[in-house]
Amino acid sequence: MTVLEQGQIQIHTENIFPIIKKAVYSGHEVFLRELVSNAVDAISKRRMAAMAGDCSEGPEGLVSIRIDREAKTLTISDNGIGMSADEVKRYINQVAFSSAEDFLEKYKREDDAIIGHFGLGFYSSFMVAERVELISLSASPGAEAVRWSCDGSPNFSLETGERAEPGTDVILHLQEEELEYIEPARIRSLITTYCDFLPVEVQLEGETVNKREAPWRKSPRDLSDDDYIALYRYLYPFQGDPLLWVHLNTDYPYTLQGILYFPRITGRADWEKGEIRLYCNQVFVSDSIKEVVPRYLLPLRGVIDSPDIPLNVSRSALQTDRRVRSIGGFVAKKVGDRLKELHRDEPARYAEIWEGIAPFIKIGAMEDEKFADQVAELILFGTTAAAAEPDPVAVGEKAYTTLTGYRSRLESSEEQRILYCTDEAAQAGPLALWQGQGAEVLLADTLIDAQFIPWLEDRHGELKFQRVDAELDASIQEQESSLSDADGTDSSEKLRELFKGALANDKVTIQVQALKGENTPAALILLPEQMRRLNDIGALMEQRLPGLPDHHVLVVNRRHPLVAGLQKLSSGAVLTGVGTSSPSQQLAQELSCHIYELARLAVGGLEPNQLAGFQQRSADLMGRLMEWGL
């Protein structure tokens, strides 16, 4: 064996030489990604050089990985372009140079086929190996094989080697603490993670491991719905099928392909970490890409593949710059375009998946003005109106409408007021009153709507959003006059005084009204809109459920039989002495408190620790009423 050269590797500080600074890489396992990427890179180079007539074409590209347990070695082989002694000196010893840049300068076409920089990525092997050998034969005519060896220090040897066919073998003599990488299951897992979609066959001990085909690199015309769903199931097993997908493809001003999916979120979405996988020319780089896509799209799933996203030297951490922000804007626009297309072409399908995609759209609209402009007419609400063509859209027993559709059905005198309901059970009383008068009510019953409604109001300055339990319209109240007693006191005023005295709570404003409808409650609680919103914001900041604000309005319905009976009971009460009250007066006060508690119960205003007392008081009250009846 002829020794061609011995010496020291030329290290430049700007290279951040991983032998010295192992912390450059976020994890040791990425060495396999780097070496396989370099192997695929070499195969691509040979193909392009062969097209230019500079070397033989050779067989179909293949990356082979072999394990030798006894020798404690891991070998990554390729049948790519290989290297001559001079190229090894330049591309391996002189770390400051990058073969990819030099190669691209010579072969201008198909530059997106170049994955890595043979040089710095190669040195990641020293994170797991105590010694690395490289045996290479250039595909150039008349080339001789060379063998390079280094023990992780700047010292190396370069000799003549033995290799029958063009290509390169990288032999890693593993460190004792890194022997996990001679386990086939471990290597197989790394190939699946990092190299699954590389276009070149990757074999482990003669068995092909990677899928090779990357669907996002194809034209959408060549993919069926089943193809998209199959990729999603492969990437995210046991998570159901996606609601919707968006195919990304652009080559200007940057190259980017990908497929993004709206998942069926069953729990709380992670709006910070993200589920989208970032690839660089089909090599997996990272699943943390919060620098690339806007925050409101992070819970989407799928793949973004781009060689133009700037990475740090380890190719695992992103560097934020103007291009990254531009890519994020492009992704958001394409998502908005896809939503508009679905809403226009398949309104029923869009309405069917609305509940699943609504959080992304609402948060996105609030955080991104451009996205808000895109989706302004795509925001749906459940509605109490009956489905009709083309709006509202029916989905089973539900109906959905847009804000524009809702406003088109309002009377001219009402078109500035938007009625909405956040809880059909808790707001059943006032909701029934409004519906009884033919009013259409929007349903905004998700947590995010507490922020989204004020945002909409701010965006549409002319509109006033009013929850059904904020106040009652004159159309809901009977305009009948209230009778006066013999002493000239208005009966409604006496009822108000009765409840005020029984509750003894100045924070509760009591109103007595005659409410329309056959099944109207004896009393209901109203929450003035702005006061309730302040309460909701406070609860959100304190991370608790809103609850019933201390200050609220109790509307007593004097048309209800229970209230009418209470009025008679109170009017017939006889004082038994100074500072005392008759049994009928006491009963009237207890009934007043009971009616108030029923109204609180209807809106979830009784805390769990208050329910036991309410039940006991209810039982005692019914017992006393039975005694009166008997």
Side-chain angles (χ1 to χ4, degrees):
M1 183 178 294
T2 303
V3 177
L4 300 176
E5 185 175 354
Q6 288 183 332
Q8 288 192 327
I9 296 171
Q10 186 175 343
I11 303 173
H12 294 255
T13 55
E14 63 266 30
N15 298 134
I16 319 177
F17 196 10
I19 299 174
I20 300 171
K21 298 184 178 180
K22 294 184 179 181
V24 163
Y25 282 86
S26 56
H28 286 191
E29 66 181 29
V30 299
F31 82 90
L32 190 69
R33 176 191 70 188
E34 297 296 310
L35 295 180
V36 173
S37 297
N38 285 339
V40 174
D41 186 7
I43 291 169
S44 298
K45 289 177 178 179
R46 182 174 182 179
R47 175 168 54 85
M48 285 186 282
M51 292 172 63
D54 291 343
C55 71
S56 60
E57 183 174 350
E60 184 177 354
L62 174 66
V63 178
S64 176
I65 301 175
R66 301 186 302 276
I67 294 172
D68 188 330
R69 286 180 175 274
E70 291 186 8
K72 300 177 183 178
T73 62
L74 183 69
T75 302
I76 295 91
S77 301
D78 67 69
N79 55 1
I81 197 167
M83 287 182 288
S84 65
D86 287 341
E87 288 169 329
V88 170
K89 293 176 188 178
R90 185 176 188 186
Y91 301 145
I92 299 300
N93 294 345
Q94 298 178 10
V95 182
F97 293 92
S98 165
S99 68
E101 292 173 0
D102 295 337
F103 195 82
L104 285 176
E105 187 64 30
K106 185 175 181 181
Y107 302 102
K108 292 293 186 180
R109 54 186 184 275
E110 296 192 53
D111 56 352
D112 65 337
I114 305 303
I115 292 171
H117 297 269
F118 204 125
L120 189 56
F122 166 77
Y123 279 100
S124 66
S125 56
F126 285 99
M127 295 191 298
V128 298
E130 60 186 15
R131 183 164 62 91
V132 177
E133 293 180 80
L134 185 147
I135 301 172
S136 190
L137 174 62
S138 172
S140 300
E144 294 184 358
V146 295
R147 177 183 176 275
W148 176 94
S149 178
C150 180
D151 62 1
S153 72
N155 298 310
F156 71 92
S157 67
L158 181 60
E159 306 165 335
T160 57
E162 294 183 3
R163 202 178 198 282
E165 298 294 333
T168 301
D169 297 332
V170 179
I171 306 167
L172 309 183
H173 297 262
L174 296 173
Q175 303 169 21
E176 287 295 325
E177 62 269 28
E178 304 288 352
L179 292 181
E180 64 180 283
Y181 297 111
I182 61 172
E183 297 296 331
R186 182 75 167 112
I187 298 301
R188 179 180 294 273
S189 173
L190 294 181
I191 295 172
T192 302
T193 298
Y194 293 107
C195 312
D196 209 12
F197 297 100
L198 280 171
V200 174
E201 186 175 356
V202 180
Q203 292 185 350
L204 174 62
E205 303 293 345
E207 180 185 352
T208 302
V209 177
N210 62 326
K211 289 178 68 67
R212 296 184 61 182
E213 189 175 84
W216 60 87
R217 306 277 287 200
K218 294 184 175 183
S219 167
R221 294 188 299 271
D222 298 329
L223 295 172
S224 66
D225 288 356
D226 289 341
D227 293 328
Y228 286 108
I229 293 173
L231 175 63
Y232 184 84
R233 289 175 178 173
Y234 180 74
L235 295 176
Y236 308 97
F238 312 113
Q239 297 190 31
D241 290 344
L243 297 171
L244 177 69
W245 51 84
V246 183
H247 199 125
L248 309 172
N249 190 359
T250 184
D251 55 12
Y252 181 81
Y254 36 73
T255 300
L256 183 146
Q257 292 89 28
I259 301 172
L260 297 182
Y261 297 88
F262 282 87
R264 295 180 187 273
I265 297 177
T266 55
R268 185 171 181 178
D270 190 341
W271 297 94
E272 299 299 333
K273 180 179 180 295
E275 297 274 2
I276 301 170
R277 302 185 182 194
L278 176 64
Y279 286 73
C280 178
N281 286 326
Q282 296 163 254
V283 179
F284 175 73
V285 174
S286 176
D287 58 3
S288 177
I289 62 167
K290 58 185 179 182
E291 295 89 349
V292 178
V293 301
R295 190 182 75 93
Y296 55 89
L297 295 180
L298 281 177
L300 293 185
R301 294 172 185 166
V303 170
I304 290 178
D305 188 340
S306 175
D308 294 332
I309 295 177
L311 308 170
N312 72 3
V313 72
S314 71
R315 293 200 280 174
S316 1
L318 296 168
Q319 296 174 340
T320 304
D321 67 358
R322 183 176 298 176
R323 175 168 290 188
V324 169
R325 292 192 296 271
S326 175
I327 288 174
F330 166 78
V331 171
K333 183 180 184 304
K334 294 300 291 184
V335 169
D337 289 344
R338 179 69 178 97
L339 293 170
K340 289 169 69 174
E341 176 188 21
L342 184 65
H343 181 261
R344 180 190 68 236
D345 299 339
E346 301 179 67
R349 167 68 177 151
Y350 183 83
E352 182 182 341
I353 66 172
W354 168 250
E355 299 296 339
I357 65 177
F360 301 97
I361 296 177
K362 291 177 181 178
I363 292 177
M366 289 189 288
E367 293 187 351
D368 185 339
E369 187 66 28
K370 289 183 178 178
F371 188 74
D373 291 338
Q374 271 194 289
V375 300
E377 296 299 322
L378 310 181
I379 296 166
L380 301 186
F381 292 92
T383 177
T384 59
E389 288 291 340
D391 184 85
V393 179
V395 178
E397 296 181 357
K398 295 183 178 180
Y400 290 89
T401 187
T402 62
L403 193 57
T404 300
Y406 174 89
R407 295 179 67 183
S408 70
R409 292 184 291 274
L410 293 178
E411 299 289 340
S412 58
S413 60
E414 301 174 337
E415 61 183 16
Q416 307 306 321
R417 183 189 64 194
I418 311 297
L419 285 173
Y420 70 100
C421 169
T422 60
D423 188 325
E424 291 184 79
Q427 296 150 32
L431 177 61
L433 285 173
W434 285 107
Q435 285 186 272
Q437 302 308 307
E440 179 181 356
V441 179
L442 298 181
L443 305 178
D445 51 6
T446 62
L447 287 175
I448 195 175
D449 286 326
Q451 297 169 273
F452 190 63
I453 293 295
W455 177 85
L456 271 177
E457 203 169 51
D458 184 64
R459 185 175 175 85
H460 301 275
E462 76 282 7
L463 299 182
K464 175 187 176 184
F465 283 76
Q466 177 186 312
R467 209 168 82 172
V468 288
D469 59 351
E471 59 184 80
L472 297 181
D473 193 274
S475 63
I476 296 175
Q477 304 169 29
E478 296 282 5
Q479 299 302 315
E480 60 185 32
S481 59
S482 182
L483 300 177
S484 299
D485 290 345
D487 60 0
T489 305
D490 184 271
S491 59
S492 294
E493 180 60 24
K494 293 196 70 171
L495 269 175
R496 196 185 72 81
E497 291 297 330
L498 172 62
F499 275 87
K500 183 177 180 180
L503 302 185
N505 186 347
D506 291 337
K507 295 179 181 179
V508 179
T509 300
I510 299 167
Q511 298 176 2
V512 178
Q513 298 177 7
L515 301 180
K516 293 180 179 179
E518 296 300 323
N519 298 312
T520 54
L524 53 88
I525 286 176
L526 300 182
L527 304 173
E529 187 74 20
Q530 296 307 316
M531 186 180 296
R532 178 190 52 74
R533 289 188 188 182
L534 290 173
N535 180 71
D536 290 349
I537 292 173
L540 185 65
M541 294 178 65
E542 296 173 14
Q543 295 185 336
R544 59 175 173 81
L545 294 175
L548 179 65
D550 291 336
H551 292 272
H552 50 266
V553 176
L554 175 67
V555 176
V556 179
N557 179 16
R558 69 170 186 259
R559 292 186 69 246
H560 194 278
L562 179 57
V563 175
L566 174 63
Q567 192 169 8
K568 291 179 181 178
L569 180 65
S570 175
S571 299
V574 179
L575 290 176
T576 58
V578 178
T580 63
S581 57
S582 67
S584 58
Q585 274 186 315
Q586 292 178 354
L587 184 59
Q589 289 181 333
E590 289 179 27
L591 281 169
S592 299
C593 291
H594 183 70
I595 291 172
Y596 171 60
E597 287 188 314
L598 286 174
R600 289 189 59 173
L601 185 65
V603 297
L606 288 180
E607 299 295 332
N609 60 345
Q610 297 174 317
L611 289 174
F614 169 72
Q615 290 173 331
Q616 183 62 49
R617 288 190 297 274
S618 297
D620 292 344
L621 182 59
M622 285 189 289
R624 293 185 59 190
L625 288 172
M626 288 188 69
E627 289 178 1
W628 274 57
L630 296 175

